[in-house]
Amino acid sequence: MTLRAAAVLLFVVLAMPAAACELAPGLGALRAELLDLANAERARAGLPGLTRDLRLEQAAQTQACRTADRGDLTHRGSWFAGLGRRLRREDYPYAMAVENLAEGQRDAAEAMAGWVGSPEHRHNLLDPRAREAGFGIAVEDGGRLHWSMVAAAQRAE
């Protein structure tokens, strides 16, 4: 294959629309429940609650969709893009940001329990610098749920 043919093929692949993401049934209610559960956990730790941010929600949903599409739990997105790149795409000027992922839990309480039960995920959830959050939930082909939480604080401008 010539270099020109490879470049054309790469362009065609990149120009193709992403596979449609199947959103979890009752997505809005699941997001609200996750925020309530996160804030209850933060209150138990003496921390202020998180507020919902639509840009963080979109960044979280993007990653939930990507992990569901791949059937693989990873913090990297397309072209190895991490959380920072996703937040920049959503025009969120972050000073700090953390992300929790999960797969297979059947409901919001189970997903949150998994995060709370893992020292690294609990640390992210209870980061005292975080002020806002967004959650994403997507469905893998076999019906398995993929969960994502992004918590962050905006940069002072």
PDB file of all heavy atoms in Angstrom, residues 47-85:
ATOM      1  N   LEU A  47     -17.298  16.811  53.592  1.00  0.00           N
ATOM      2  CA  LEU A  47     -16.965  17.589  52.394  1.00  0.00           C
ATOM      3  C   LEU A  47     -18.211  18.211  51.779  1.00  0.00           C
ATOM      4  O   LEU A  47     -19.312  17.667  51.910  1.00  0.00           O
ATOM      5  CB  LEU A  47     -16.299  16.686  51.355  1.00  0.00           C
ATOM      6  CG  LEU A  47     -14.950  16.102  51.749  1.00  0.00           C
ATOM      7  CD1 LEU A  47     -14.535  15.024  50.764  1.00  0.00           C
ATOM      8  CD2 LEU A  47     -13.906  17.201  51.835  1.00  0.00           C
ATOM      9  N   PRO A  48     -18.046  19.330  51.075  1.00  0.00           N
ATOM     10  CA  PRO A  48     -19.199  19.925  50.388  1.00  0.00           C
ATOM     11  C   PRO A  48     -19.667  19.027  49.242  1.00  0.00           C
ATOM     12  O   PRO A  48     -18.882  18.251  48.683  1.00  0.00           O
ATOM     13  CB  PRO A  48     -18.655  21.255  49.856  1.00  0.00           C
ATOM     14  CG  PRO A  48     -17.182  21.068  49.773  1.00  0.00           C
ATOM     15  CD  PRO A  48     -16.814  20.084  50.856  1.00  0.00           C
ATOM     16  N   GLY A  49     -20.933  19.174  48.904  1.00  0.00           N
ATOM     17  CA  GLY A  49     -21.492  18.401  47.805  1.00  0.00           C
ATOM     18  C   GLY A  49     -21.005  18.900  46.458  1.00  0.00           C
ATOM     19  O   GLY A  49     -20.474  20.004  46.326  1.00  0.00           O
ATOM     20  N   LEU A  50     -21.180  18.062  45.461  1.00  0.00           N
ATOM     21  CA  LEU A  50     -20.848  18.395  44.077  1.00  0.00           C
ATOM     22  C   LEU A  50     -22.106  18.896  43.377  1.00  0.00           C
ATOM     23  O   LEU A  50     -23.207  18.438  43.678  1.00  0.00           O
ATOM     24  CB  LEU A  50     -20.318  17.161  43.352  1.00  0.00           C
ATOM     25  CG  LEU A  50     -19.075  16.509  43.956  1.00  0.00           C
ATOM     26  CD1 LEU A  50     -18.812  15.152  43.305  1.00  0.00           C
ATOM     27  CD2 LEU A  50     -17.871  17.416  43.833  1.00  0.00           C
ATOM     28  N   THR A  51     -21.950  19.799  42.442  1.00  0.00           N
ATOM     29  CA  THR A  51     -23.079  20.247  41.633  1.00  0.00           C
ATOM     30  C   THR A  51     -22.951  19.640  40.234  1.00  0.00           C
ATOM     31  O   THR A  51     -21.846  19.346  39.766  1.00  0.00           O
ATOM     32  CB  THR A  51     -23.148  21.783  41.525  1.00  0.00           C
ATOM     33  OG1 THR A  51     -21.931  22.263  40.963  1.00  0.00           O
ATOM     34  CG2 THR A  51     -23.373  22.417  42.878  1.00  0.00           C
ATOM     35  N   ARG A  52     -24.069  19.466  39.597  1.00  0.00           N
ATOM     36  CA  ARG A  52     -24.110  18.889  38.261  1.00  0.00           C
ATOM     37  C   ARG A  52     -23.577  19.902  37.244  1.00  0.00           C
ATOM     38  O   ARG A  52     -23.935  21.073  37.279  1.00  0.00           O
ATOM     39  CB  ARG A  52     -25.553  18.536  37.929  1.00  0.00           C
ATOM     40  CG  ARG A  52     -25.746  17.985  36.549  1.00  0.00           C
ATOM     41  CD  ARG A  52     -27.215  17.729  36.289  1.00  0.00           C
ATOM     42  NE  ARG A  52     -27.424  17.187  34.964  1.00  0.00           N
ATOM     43  CZ  ARG A  52     -28.500  17.396  34.250  1.00  0.00           C
ATOM     44  NH1 ARG A  52     -29.503  18.111  34.744  1.00  0.00           N
ATOM     45  NH2 ARG A  52     -28.616  16.873  33.057  1.00  0.00           N
ATOM     46  N   ASP A  53     -22.728  19.427  36.345  1.00  0.00           N
ATOM     47  CA  ASP A  53     -22.230  20.252  35.251  1.00  0.00           C
ATOM     48  C   ASP A  53     -22.449  19.493  33.951  1.00  0.00           C
ATOM     49  O   ASP A  53     -22.000  18.339  33.824  1.00  0.00           O
ATOM     50  CB  ASP A  53     -20.752  20.574  35.436  1.00  0.00           C
ATOM     51  CG  ASP A  53     -20.255  21.532  34.377  1.00  0.00           C
ATOM     52  OD1 ASP A  53     -19.879  21.056  33.273  1.00  0.00           O
ATOM     53  OD2 ASP A  53     -20.257  22.748  34.620  1.00  0.00           O
ATOM     54  N   LEU A  54     -23.136  20.110  33.007  1.00  0.00           N
ATOM     55  CA  LEU A  54     -23.471  19.437  31.753  1.00  0.00           C
ATOM     56  C   LEU A  54     -22.240  19.103  30.919  1.00  0.00           C
ATOM     57  O   LEU A  54     -22.223  18.091  30.206  1.00  0.00           O
ATOM     58  CB  LEU A  54     -24.445  20.284  30.945  1.00  0.00           C
ATOM     59  CG  LEU A  54     -25.816  20.508  31.587  1.00  0.00           C
ATOM     60  CD1 LEU A  54     -26.675  21.411  30.715  1.00  0.00           C
ATOM     61  CD2 LEU A  54     -26.522  19.192  31.859  1.00  0.00           C
ATOM     62  N   ARG A  55     -21.193  19.925  30.998  1.00  0.00           N
ATOM     63  CA  ARG A  55     -19.967  19.623  30.242  1.00  0.00           C
ATOM     64  C   ARG A  55     -19.273  18.391  30.809  1.00  0.00           C
ATOM     65  O   ARG A  55     -18.795  17.541  30.059  1.00  0.00           O
ATOM     66  CB  ARG A  55     -19.030  20.832  30.263  1.00  0.00           C
ATOM     67  CG  ARG A  55     -19.633  22.048  29.541  1.00  0.00           C
ATOM     68  CD  ARG A  55     -18.893  23.303  29.877  1.00  0.00           C
ATOM     69  NE  ARG A  55     -19.022  23.569  31.315  1.00  0.00           N
ATOM     70  CZ  ARG A  55     -18.437  24.577  31.940  1.00  0.00           C
ATOM     71  NH1 ARG A  55     -17.659  25.418  31.278  1.00  0.00           N
ATOM     72  NH2 ARG A  55     -18.605  24.752  33.235  1.00  0.00           N
ATOM     73  N   LEU A  56     -19.255  18.271  32.136  1.00  0.00           N
ATOM     74  CA  LEU A  56     -18.674  17.084  32.754  1.00  0.00           C
ATOM     75  C   LEU A  56     -19.537  15.860  32.462  1.00  0.00           C
ATOM     76  O   LEU A  56     -19.021  14.756  32.262  1.00  0.00           O
ATOM     77  CB  LEU A  56     -18.520  17.282  34.257  1.00  0.00           C
ATOM     78  CG  LEU A  56     -17.570  18.402  34.692  1.00  0.00           C
ATOM     79  CD1 LEU A  56     -17.510  18.492  36.209  1.00  0.00           C
ATOM     80  CD2 LEU A  56     -16.197  18.233  34.091  1.00  0.00           C
ATOM     81  N   GLU A  57     -20.842  16.069  32.426  1.00  0.00           N
ATOM     82  CA  GLU A  57     -21.757  14.984  32.081  1.00  0.00           C
ATOM     83  C   GLU A  57     -21.459  14.460  30.682  1.00  0.00           C
ATOM     84  O   GLU A  57     -21.417  13.247  30.452  1.00  0.00           O
ATOM     85  CB  GLU A  57     -23.188  15.512  32.162  1.00  0.00           C
ATOM     86  CG  GLU A  57     -24.223  14.484  32.417  1.00  0.00           C
ATOM     87  CD  GLU A  57     -25.535  15.140  32.839  1.00  0.00           C
ATOM     88  OE1 GLU A  57     -26.300  15.537  31.936  1.00  0.00           O
ATOM     89  OE2 GLU A  57     -25.774  15.242  34.052  1.00  0.00           O
ATOM     90  N   GLN A  58     -21.230  15.366  29.746  1.00  0.00           N
ATOM     91  CA  GLN A  58     -20.945  14.956  28.373  1.00  0.00           C
ATOM     92  C   GLN A  58     -19.602  14.233  28.290  1.00  0.00           C
ATOM     93  O   GLN A  58     -19.479  13.224  27.597  1.00  0.00           O
ATOM     94  CB  GLN A  58     -20.956  16.159  27.430  1.00  0.00           C
ATOM     95  CG  GLN A  58     -20.780  15.779  25.975  1.00  0.00           C
ATOM     96  CD  GLN A  58     -21.806  14.776  25.485  1.00  0.00           C
ATOM     97  OE1 GLN A  58     -22.993  14.904  25.732  1.00  0.00           O
ATOM     98  NE2 GLN A  58     -21.340  13.737  24.795  1.00  0.00           N
ATOM     99  N   ALA A  59     -18.598  14.723  29.012  1.00  0.00           N
ATOM    100  CA  ALA A  59     -17.295  14.049  29.025  1.00  0.00           C
ATOM    101  C   ALA A  59     -17.419  12.645  29.616  1.00  0.00           C
ATOM    102  O   ALA A  59     -16.817  11.693  29.112  1.00  0.00           O
ATOM    103  CB  ALA A  59     -16.277  14.878  29.812  1.00  0.00           C
ATOM    104  N   ALA A  60     -18.207  12.516  30.681  1.00  0.00           N
ATOM    105  CA  ALA A  60     -18.428  11.202  31.298  1.00  0.00           C
ATOM    106  C   ALA A  60     -19.192  10.280  30.358  1.00  0.00           C
ATOM    107  O   ALA A  60     -18.867   9.093  30.230  1.00  0.00           O
ATOM    108  CB  ALA A  60     -19.170  11.360  32.630  1.00  0.00           C
ATOM    109  N   GLN A  61     -20.208  10.812  29.692  1.00  0.00           N
ATOM    110  CA  GLN A  61     -21.001   9.991  28.776  1.00  0.00           C
ATOM    111  C   GLN A  61     -20.165   9.520  27.597  1.00  0.00           C
ATOM    112  O   GLN A  61     -20.279   8.379  27.160  1.00  0.00           O
ATOM    113  CB  GLN A  61     -22.235  10.757  28.284  1.00  0.00           C
ATOM    114  CG  GLN A  61     -23.212   9.882  27.518  1.00  0.00           C
ATOM    115  CD  GLN A  61     -23.760   8.754  28.389  1.00  0.00           C
ATOM    116  OE1 GLN A  61     -24.255   8.994  29.482  1.00  0.00           O
ATOM    117  NE2 GLN A  61     -23.660   7.524  27.912  1.00  0.00           N
ATOM    118  N   THR A  62     -19.308  10.395  27.096  1.00  0.00           N
ATOM    119  CA  THR A  62     -18.423  10.015  25.991  1.00  0.00           C
ATOM    120  C   THR A  62     -17.579   8.807  26.371  1.00  0.00           C
ATOM    121  O   THR A  62     -17.458   7.850  25.610  1.00  0.00           O
ATOM    122  CB  THR A  62     -17.510  11.197  25.601  1.00  0.00           C
ATOM    123  OG1 THR A  62     -18.333  12.257  25.098  1.00  0.00           O
ATOM    124  CG2 THR A  62     -16.482  10.808  24.569  1.00  0.00           C
ATOM    125  N   GLN A  63     -17.016   8.821  27.586  1.00  0.00           N
ATOM    126  CA  GLN A  63     -16.173   7.706  27.996  1.00  0.00           C
ATOM    127  C   GLN A  63     -16.985   6.450  28.278  1.00  0.00           C
ATOM    128  O   GLN A  63     -16.556   5.343  27.942  1.00  0.00           O
ATOM    129  CB  GLN A  63     -15.318   8.081  29.207  1.00  0.00           C
ATOM    130  CG  GLN A  63     -14.178   7.138  29.443  1.00  0.00           C
ATOM    131  CD  GLN A  63     -13.196   7.086  28.266  1.00  0.00           C
ATOM    132  OE1 GLN A  63     -13.213   7.923  27.372  1.00  0.00           O
ATOM    133  NE2 GLN A  63     -12.339   6.088  28.264  1.00  0.00           N
ATOM    134  N   ALA A  64     -18.155   6.596  28.871  1.00  0.00           N
ATOM    135  CA  ALA A  64     -19.014   5.427  29.087  1.00  0.00           C
ATOM    136  C   ALA A  64     -19.362   4.781  27.746  1.00  0.00           C
ATOM    137  O   ALA A  64     -19.333   3.553  27.613  1.00  0.00           O
ATOM    138  CB  ALA A  64     -20.274   5.821  29.851  1.00  0.00           C
ATOM    139  N   CYS A  65     -19.668   5.595  26.753  1.00  0.00           N
ATOM    140  CA  CYS A  65     -19.989   5.066  25.421  1.00  0.00           C
ATOM    141  C   CYS A  65     -18.789   4.369  24.797  1.00  0.00           C
ATOM    142  O   CYS A  65     -18.919   3.293  24.210  1.00  0.00           O
ATOM    143  CB  CYS A  65     -20.485   6.189  24.515  1.00  0.00           C
ATOM    144  SG  CYS A  65     -22.151   6.752  24.902  1.00  0.00           S
ATOM    145  N   ARG A  66     -17.626   4.962  24.944  1.00  0.00           N
ATOM    146  CA  ARG A  66     -16.427   4.353  24.354  1.00  0.00           C
ATOM    147  C   ARG A  66     -16.099   3.021  25.009  1.00  0.00           C
ATOM    148  O   ARG A  66     -15.725   2.063  24.329  1.00  0.00           O
ATOM    149  CB  ARG A  66     -15.254   5.311  24.447  1.00  0.00           C
ATOM    150  CG  ARG A  66     -15.388   6.435  23.450  1.00  0.00           C
ATOM    151  CD  ARG A  66     -14.143   7.256  23.330  1.00  0.00           C
ATOM    152  NE  ARG A  66     -14.352   8.252  22.295  1.00  0.00           N
ATOM    153  CZ  ARG A  66     -13.969   9.517  22.397  1.00  0.00           C
ATOM    154  NH1 ARG A  66     -13.331   9.922  23.471  1.00  0.00           N
ATOM    155  NH2 ARG A  66     -14.201  10.356  21.416  1.00  0.00           N
ATOM    156  N   THR A  67     -16.216   2.949  26.323  1.00  0.00           N
ATOM    157  CA  THR A  67     -15.906   1.671  26.974  1.00  0.00           C
ATOM    158  C   THR A  67     -16.960   0.624  26.631  1.00  0.00           C
ATOM    159  O   THR A  67     -16.630  -0.548  26.453  1.00  0.00           O
ATOM    160  CB  THR A  67     -15.748   1.820  28.507  1.00  0.00           C
ATOM    161  OG1 THR A  67     -16.959   2.280  29.079  1.00  0.00           O
ATOM    162  CG2 THR A  67     -14.601   2.757  28.851  1.00  0.00           C
ATOM    163  N   ALA A  68     -18.214   1.046  26.512  1.00  0.00           N
ATOM    164  CA  ALA A  68     -19.270   0.103  26.130  1.00  0.00           C
ATOM    165  C   ALA A  68     -19.071  -0.379  24.693  1.00  0.00           C
ATOM    166  O   ALA A  68     -19.238  -1.566  24.402  1.00  0.00           O
ATOM    167  CB  ALA A  68     -20.639   0.749  26.293  1.00  0.00           C
ATOM    168  N   ASP A  69     -18.715   0.535  23.786  1.00  0.00           N
ATOM    169  CA  ASP A  69     -18.488   0.159  22.390  1.00  0.00           C
ATOM    170  C   ASP A  69     -17.351  -0.849  22.268  1.00  0.00           C
ATOM    171  O   ASP A  69     -17.408  -1.773  21.471  1.00  0.00           O
ATOM    172  CB  ASP A  69     -18.147   1.383  21.541  1.00  0.00           C
ATOM    173  CG  ASP A  69     -19.351   2.250  21.240  1.00  0.00           C
ATOM    174  OD1 ASP A  69     -20.500   1.794  21.442  1.00  0.00           O
ATOM    175  OD2 ASP A  69     -19.151   3.411  20.809  1.00  0.00           O
ATOM    176  N   ARG A  70     -16.310  -0.673  23.071  1.00  0.00           N
ATOM    177  CA  ARG A  70     -15.142  -1.543  23.011  1.00  0.00           C
ATOM    178  C   ARG A  70     -15.282  -2.787  23.873  1.00  0.00           C
ATOM    179  O   ARG A  70     -14.535  -3.748  23.700  1.00  0.00           O
ATOM    180  CB  ARG A  70     -13.910  -0.790  23.498  1.00  0.00           C
ATOM    181  CG  ARG A  70     -13.478   0.312  22.610  1.00  0.00           C
ATOM    182  CD  ARG A  70     -12.223   0.935  23.201  1.00  0.00           C
ATOM    183  NE  ARG A  70     -11.861   2.110  22.460  1.00  0.00           N
ATOM    184  CZ  ARG A  70     -11.387   3.206  23.002  1.00  0.00           C
ATOM    185  NH1 ARG A  70     -11.206   3.267  24.304  1.00  0.00           N
ATOM    186  NH2 ARG A  70     -11.072   4.234  22.271  1.00  0.00           N
ATOM    187  N   GLY A  71     -16.180  -2.729  24.853  1.00  0.00           N
ATOM    188  CA  GLY A  71     -16.267  -3.824  25.809  1.00  0.00           C
ATOM    189  C   GLY A  71     -15.011  -3.905  26.662  1.00  0.00           C
ATOM    190  O   GLY A  71     -14.628  -4.971  27.134  1.00  0.00           O
ATOM    191  N   ASP A  72     -14.375  -2.753  26.864  1.00  0.00           N
ATOM    192  CA  ASP A  72     -13.090  -2.696  27.561  1.00  0.00           C
ATOM    193  C   ASP A  72     -13.088  -1.468  28.461  1.00  0.00           C
ATOM    194  O   ASP A  72     -13.370  -0.359  28.012  1.00  0.00           O
ATOM    195  CB  ASP A  72     -11.970  -2.599  26.523  1.00  0.00           C
ATOM    196  CG  ASP A  72     -10.590  -2.561  27.148  1.00  0.00           C
ATOM    197  OD1 ASP A  72     -10.396  -3.184  28.202  1.00  0.00           O
ATOM    198  OD2 ASP A  72      -9.713  -1.906  26.558  1.00  0.00           O
ATOM    199  N   LEU A  73     -12.758  -1.657  29.707  1.00  0.00           N
ATOM    200  CA  LEU A  73     -12.735  -0.566  30.675  1.00  0.00           C
ATOM    201  C   LEU A  73     -11.371   0.116  30.632  1.00  0.00           C
ATOM    202  O   LEU A  73     -10.368  -0.454  31.054  1.00  0.00           O
ATOM    203  CB  LEU A  73     -13.004  -1.129  32.068  1.00  0.00           C
ATOM    204  CG  LEU A  73     -13.468  -0.148  33.120  1.00  0.00           C
ATOM    205  CD1 LEU A  73     -14.778   0.501  32.726  1.00  0.00           C
ATOM    206  CD2 LEU A  73     -13.633  -0.860  34.448  1.00  0.00           C
ATOM    207  N   THR A  74     -11.339   1.329  30.095  1.00  0.00           N
ATOM    208  CA  THR A  74     -10.097   2.078  29.982  1.00  0.00           C
ATOM    209  C   THR A  74     -10.367   3.570  30.116  1.00  0.00           C
ATOM    210  O   THR A  74     -11.442   4.040  29.732  1.00  0.00           O
ATOM    211  CB  THR A  74      -9.373   1.803  28.647  1.00  0.00           C
ATOM    212  OG1 THR A  74      -8.208   2.619  28.577  1.00  0.00           O
ATOM    213  CG2 THR A  74     -10.255   2.114  27.455  1.00  0.00           C
ATOM    214  N   HIS A  75      -9.397   4.283  30.649  1.00  0.00           N
ATOM    215  CA  HIS A  75      -9.528   5.736  30.782  1.00  0.00           C
ATOM    216  C   HIS A  75      -9.126   6.451  29.502  1.00  0.00           C
ATOM    217  O   HIS A  75      -9.321   7.652  29.387  1.00  0.00           O
ATOM    218  CB  HIS A  75      -8.686   6.247  31.954  1.00  0.00           C
ATOM    219  CG  HIS A  75      -9.249   5.851  33.273  1.00  0.00           C
ATOM    220  ND1 HIS A  75     -10.269   6.536  33.893  1.00  0.00           N
ATOM    221  CD2 HIS A  75      -8.945   4.816  34.090  1.00  0.00           C
ATOM    222  CE1 HIS A  75     -10.555   5.940  35.043  1.00  0.00           C
ATOM    223  NE2 HIS A  75      -9.774   4.890  35.180  1.00  0.00           N
ATOM    224  N   ARG A  76      -8.589   5.743  28.555  1.00  0.00           N
ATOM    225  CA  ARG A  76      -8.188   6.342  27.278  1.00  0.00           C
ATOM    226  C   ARG A  76      -9.344   6.282  26.296  1.00  0.00           C
ATOM    227  O   ARG A  76     -10.054   5.300  26.211  1.00  0.00           O
ATOM    228  CB  ARG A  76      -6.980   5.619  26.688  1.00  0.00           C
ATOM    229  CG  ARG A  76      -5.732   5.801  27.508  1.00  0.00           C
ATOM    230  CD  ARG A  76      -5.265   7.218  27.377  1.00  0.00           C
ATOM    231  NE  ARG A  76      -4.146   7.468  28.270  1.00  0.00           N
ATOM    232  CZ  ARG A  76      -3.745   8.674  28.591  1.00  0.00           C
ATOM    233  NH1 ARG A  76      -4.356   9.727  28.126  1.00  0.00           N
ATOM    234  NH2 ARG A  76      -2.731   8.837  29.392  1.00  0.00           N
ATOM    235  N   GLY A  77      -9.480   7.344  25.522  1.00  0.00           N
ATOM    236  CA  GLY A  77     -10.521   7.405  24.495  1.00  0.00           C
ATOM    237  C   GLY A  77      -9.913   7.132  23.137  1.00  0.00           C
ATOM    238  O   GLY A  77      -8.881   6.475  23.018  1.00  0.00           O
ATOM    239  N   SER A  78     -10.537   7.699  22.105  1.00  0.00           N
ATOM    240  CA  SER A  78     -10.017   7.512  20.768  1.00  0.00           C
ATOM    241  C   SER A  78      -8.673   8.223  20.640  1.00  0.00           C
ATOM    242  O   SER A  78      -8.450   9.279  21.225  1.00  0.00           O
ATOM    243  CB  SER A  78     -11.014   8.045  19.735  1.00  0.00           C
ATOM    244  OG  SER A  78     -11.256   9.414  19.958  1.00  0.00           O
ATOM    245  N   TRP A  79      -7.781   7.621  19.916  1.00  0.00           N
ATOM    246  CA  TRP A  79      -6.430   8.154  19.702  1.00  0.00           C
ATOM    247  C   TRP A  79      -5.729   8.407  21.026  1.00  0.00           C
ATOM    248  O   TRP A  79      -4.980   9.362  21.181  1.00  0.00           O
ATOM    249  CB  TRP A  79      -6.471   9.411  18.834  1.00  0.00           C
ATOM    250  CG  TRP A  79      -6.860   9.082  17.432  1.00  0.00           C
ATOM    251  CD1 TRP A  79      -8.129   9.120  16.911  1.00  0.00           C
ATOM    252  CD2 TRP A  79      -6.024   8.626  16.388  1.00  0.00           C
ATOM    253  NE1 TRP A  79      -8.110   8.707  15.615  1.00  0.00           N
ATOM    254  CE2 TRP A  79      -6.825   8.407  15.257  1.00  0.00           C
ATOM    255  CE3 TRP A  79      -4.668   8.377  16.302  1.00  0.00           C
ATOM    256  CZ2 TRP A  79      -6.316   7.947  14.071  1.00  0.00           C
ATOM    257  CZ3 TRP A  79      -4.162   7.928  15.100  1.00  0.00           C
ATOM    258  CH2 TRP A  79      -4.982   7.719  13.998  1.00  0.00           C
ATOM    259  N   PHE A  80      -6.025   7.581  22.021  1.00  0.00           N
ATOM    260  CA  PHE A  80      -5.390   7.636  23.335  1.00  0.00           C
ATOM    261  C   PHE A  80      -5.686   8.931  24.080  1.00  0.00           C
ATOM    262  O   PHE A  80      -4.940   9.326  24.962  1.00  0.00           O
ATOM    263  CB  PHE A  80      -3.871   7.399  23.228  1.00  0.00           C
ATOM    264  CG  PHE A  80      -3.541   6.105  22.570  1.00  0.00           C
ATOM    265  CD1 PHE A  80      -3.122   6.062  21.256  1.00  0.00           C
ATOM    266  CD2 PHE A  80      -3.693   4.919  23.260  1.00  0.00           C
ATOM    267  CE1 PHE A  80      -2.829   4.856  20.643  1.00  0.00           C
ATOM    268  CE2 PHE A  80      -3.404   3.702  22.659  1.00  0.00           C
ATOM    269  CZ  PHE A  80      -2.973   3.673  21.341  1.00  0.00           C
ATOM    270  N   ALA A  81      -6.776   9.595  23.712  1.00  0.00           N
ATOM    271  CA  ALA A  81      -7.157  10.836  24.393  1.00  0.00           C
ATOM    272  C   ALA A  81      -7.580  10.524  25.821  1.00  0.00           C
ATOM    273  O   ALA A  81      -8.379   9.627  26.058  1.00  0.00           O
ATOM    274  CB  ALA A  81      -8.293  11.519  23.645  1.00  0.00           C
ATOM    275  N   GLY A  82      -7.061  11.267  26.743  1.00  0.00           N
ATOM    276  CA  GLY A  82      -7.408  11.094  28.138  1.00  0.00           C
ATOM    277  C   GLY A  82      -8.473  12.080  28.578  1.00  0.00           C
ATOM    278  O   GLY A  82      -9.073  12.803  27.776  1.00  0.00           O
ATOM    279  N   LEU A  83      -8.680  12.130  29.867  1.00  0.00           N
ATOM    280  CA  LEU A  83      -9.707  12.991  30.444  1.00  0.00           C
ATOM    281  C   LEU A  83      -9.462  14.460  30.110  1.00  0.00           C
ATOM    282  O   LEU A  83     -10.404  15.183  29.780  1.00  0.00           O
ATOM    283  CB  LEU A  83      -9.755  12.783  31.958  1.00  0.00           C
ATOM    284  CG  LEU A  83     -10.743  13.647  32.734  1.00  0.00           C
ATOM    285  CD1 LEU A  83     -12.172  13.468  32.232  1.00  0.00           C
ATOM    286  CD2 LEU A  83     -10.644  13.338  34.225  1.00  0.00           C
ATOM    287  N   GLY A  84      -8.240  14.904  30.185  1.00  0.00           N
ATOM    288  CA  GLY A  84      -7.943  16.314  29.892  1.00  0.00           C
ATOM    289  C   GLY A  84      -8.406  16.733  28.514  1.00  0.00           C
ATOM    290  O   GLY A  84      -9.022  17.790  28.347  1.00  0.00           O
ATOM    291  N   ARG A  85      -8.156  15.899  27.530  1.00  0.00           N
ATOM    292  CA  ARG A  85      -8.577  16.229  26.162  1.00  0.00           C
ATOM    293  C   ARG A  85     -10.102  16.258  26.055  1.00  0.00           C
ATOM    294  O   ARG A  85     -10.673  17.129  25.417  1.00  0.00           O
ATOM    295  CB  ARG A  85      -8.004  15.248  25.162  1.00  0.00           C
ATOM    296  CG  ARG A  85      -8.390  15.638  23.727  1.00  0.00           C
ATOM    297  CD  ARG A  85      -7.769  14.777  22.685  1.00  0.00           C
ATOM    298  NE  ARG A  85      -6.340  15.039  22.638  1.00  0.00           N
ATOM    299  CZ  ARG A  85      -5.477  14.277  21.963  1.00  0.00           C
ATOM    300  NH1 ARG A  85      -5.911  13.211  21.320  1.00  0.00           N
ATOM    301  NH2 ARG A  85      -4.199  14.565  21.956  1.00  0.00           N
TER     302      ARG A  85
END
